[in-house]
Short mmCIF file of all heavy atoms in Angstrom, two decimals:
data_model
loop_
_atom_site.label_atom_id
_atom_site.label_comp_id
_atom_site.label_asym_id
_atom_site.label_seq_id
_atom_site.Cartn_x
_atom_site.Cartn_y
_atom_site.Cartn_z
N HIS A 151 27.91 4.14 12.04
CA HIS A 151 27.66 3.02 12.95
C HIS A 151 26.20 2.86 13.30
O HIS A 151 25.85 2.01 14.10
CB HIS A 151 28.48 3.21 14.23
CG HIS A 151 29.91 2.85 14.02
ND1 HIS A 151 30.35 1.55 14.04
CD2 HIS A 151 30.98 3.62 13.75
CE1 HIS A 151 31.65 1.54 13.78
NE2 HIS A 151 32.05 2.78 13.60
N GLN A 152 25.35 3.72 12.73
CA GLN A 152 23.93 3.63 13.07
C GLN A 152 23.17 2.78 12.06
O GLN A 152 23.64 2.52 10.96
CB GLN A 152 23.32 5.03 13.13
CG GLN A 152 23.72 5.77 14.40
CD GLN A 152 23.06 7.11 14.49
OE1 GLN A 152 23.07 7.88 13.54
NE2 GLN A 152 22.49 7.41 15.64
N TYR A 153 21.98 2.38 12.47
CA TYR A 153 21.09 1.64 11.58
C TYR A 153 20.12 2.61 10.92
O TYR A 153 19.84 3.67 11.48
CB TYR A 153 20.32 0.58 12.37
CG TYR A 153 21.17 -0.59 12.77
CD1 TYR A 153 21.74 -0.67 14.03
CD2 TYR A 153 21.44 -1.60 11.85
CE1 TYR A 153 22.54 -1.75 14.37
CE2 TYR A 153 22.23 -2.67 12.19
CZ TYR A 153 22.78 -2.75 13.45
OH TYR A 153 23.57 -3.80 13.77
N PRO A 154 19.57 2.23 9.76
CA PRO A 154 18.67 3.15 9.06
C PRO A 154 17.53 3.68 9.93
O PRO A 154 17.16 4.85 9.82
CB PRO A 154 18.13 2.30 7.91
CG PRO A 154 19.22 1.33 7.63
CD PRO A 154 19.86 1.05 8.96
N HIS A 155 16.96 2.84 10.82
CA HIS A 155 15.79 3.34 11.57
C HIS A 155 16.18 4.42 12.56
O HIS A 155 15.31 5.10 13.11
CB HIS A 155 15.09 2.19 12.29
CG HIS A 155 15.86 1.61 13.43
ND1 HIS A 155 16.65 0.51 13.30
CD2 HIS A 155 15.98 2.01 14.71
CE1 HIS A 155 17.22 0.25 14.46
NE2 HIS A 155 16.84 1.13 15.33
N GLU A 156 17.48 4.59 12.83
CA GLU A 156 17.90 5.64 13.76
C GLU A 156 18.06 6.99 13.06
O GLU A 156 18.39 7.98 13.69
CB GLU A 156 19.20 5.23 14.44
CG GLU A 156 19.04 3.97 15.28
CD GLU A 156 20.35 3.45 15.82
OE1 GLU A 156 21.24 3.12 15.02
OE2 GLU A 156 20.48 3.37 17.04
N LEU A 157 17.87 6.99 11.74
CA LEU A 157 18.04 8.22 10.96
C LEU A 157 16.70 8.74 10.48
O LEU A 157 15.79 7.97 10.24
CB LEU A 157 18.94 7.94 9.75
CG LEU A 157 20.44 8.14 9.93
CD1 LEU A 157 20.96 7.32 11.07
CD2 LEU A 157 21.16 7.78 8.65
N SER A 158 16.62 10.04 10.30
CA SER A 158 15.38 10.62 9.78
C SER A 158 15.32 10.40 8.27
O SER A 158 16.29 9.98 7.65
CB SER A 158 15.35 12.12 10.07
OG SER A 158 16.30 12.77 9.27
N GLY A 159 14.15 10.70 7.69
CA GLY A 159 13.96 10.50 6.26
C GLY A 159 14.98 11.28 5.43
O GLY A 159 15.54 10.77 4.46
N GLY A 160 15.23 12.52 5.82
CA GLY A 160 16.17 13.36 5.08
C GLY A 160 17.58 12.77 5.14
O GLY A 160 18.30 12.73 4.14
N MET A 161 17.98 12.30 6.33
CA MET A 161 19.32 11.70 6.47
C MET A 161 19.43 10.44 5.63
O MET A 161 20.45 10.20 5.00
CB MET A 161 19.55 11.34 7.94
CG MET A 161 19.76 12.53 8.84
SD MET A 161 20.39 11.89 10.38
CE MET A 161 19.69 12.96 11.54
N ARG A 162 18.35 9.65 5.62
CA ARG A 162 18.40 8.42 4.81
C ARG A 162 18.53 8.75 3.34
O ARG A 162 19.26 8.07 2.61
CB ARG A 162 17.13 7.61 5.04
CG ARG A 162 17.18 6.85 6.33
CD ARG A 162 15.99 5.97 6.45
NE ARG A 162 15.18 6.38 7.57
CZ ARG A 162 14.09 5.77 7.97
NH1 ARG A 162 13.67 4.71 7.31
NH2 ARG A 162 13.42 6.18 8.99
N GLN A 163 17.85 9.81 2.92
CA GLN A 163 17.96 10.19 1.52
C GLN A 163 19.40 10.60 1.21
O GLN A 163 19.93 10.29 0.15
CB GLN A 163 16.98 11.34 1.22
CG GLN A 163 16.80 11.65 -0.25
CD GLN A 163 16.27 10.48 -1.04
OE1 GLN A 163 17.02 9.58 -1.39
NE2 GLN A 163 14.99 10.47 -1.31
N ARG A 164 20.06 11.25 2.18
CA ARG A 164 21.46 11.62 1.97
C ARG A 164 22.33 10.38 1.87
O ARG A 164 23.28 10.33 1.07
CB ARG A 164 21.94 12.51 3.12
CG ARG A 164 21.39 13.92 3.02
CD ARG A 164 21.79 14.72 4.23
NE ARG A 164 21.02 15.96 4.32
CZ ARG A 164 21.41 17.11 3.80
NH1 ARG A 164 22.56 17.20 3.17
NH2 ARG A 164 20.65 18.17 3.89
N VAL A 165 22.02 9.37 2.68
CA VAL A 165 22.79 8.13 2.61
C VAL A 165 22.63 7.50 1.22
O VAL A 165 23.60 7.02 0.62
CB VAL A 165 22.33 7.14 3.71
CG1 VAL A 165 23.01 5.79 3.53
CG2 VAL A 165 22.61 7.70 5.08
N LEU A 166 21.39 7.53 0.72
CA LEU A 166 21.15 6.96 -0.61
C LEU A 166 21.93 7.72 -1.67
O LEU A 166 22.46 7.14 -2.63
CB LEU A 166 19.66 7.00 -0.94
CG LEU A 166 18.81 6.00 -0.15
CD1 LEU A 166 17.34 6.26 -0.39
CD2 LEU A 166 19.17 4.58 -0.56
N ILE A 167 22.02 9.02 -1.50
CA ILE A 167 22.81 9.81 -2.44
C ILE A 167 24.28 9.42 -2.32
O ILE A 167 24.99 9.27 -3.33
CB ILE A 167 22.60 11.31 -2.18
CG1 ILE A 167 21.15 11.69 -2.49
CG2 ILE A 167 23.55 12.15 -3.04
CD1 ILE A 167 20.80 13.12 -2.14
N ALA A 168 24.74 9.20 -1.08
CA ALA A 168 26.13 8.78 -0.89
C ALA A 168 26.39 7.46 -1.60
O ALA A 168 27.43 7.28 -2.25
CB ALA A 168 26.43 8.63 0.60
N ILE A 169 25.43 6.54 -1.51
CA ILE A 169 25.59 5.25 -2.18
C ILE A 169 25.66 5.45 -3.69
O ILE A 169 26.46 4.84 -4.39
CB ILE A 169 24.45 4.29 -1.79
CG1 ILE A 169 24.59 3.90 -0.32
CG2 ILE A 169 24.42 3.06 -2.68
CD1 ILE A 169 23.47 3.09 0.23
#
Side-chain angles (χ1 to χ4, degrees):
Chain A
H151 282 280
Q152 284 184 312
Y153 286 98
H155 70 264
E156 297 173 300
L157 270 56
S158 70
M161 288 193 214
R162 281 186 244 183
Q163 191 61 280
R164 286 175 194 268
V165 173
L166 288 171
I167 294 174
I169 291 174

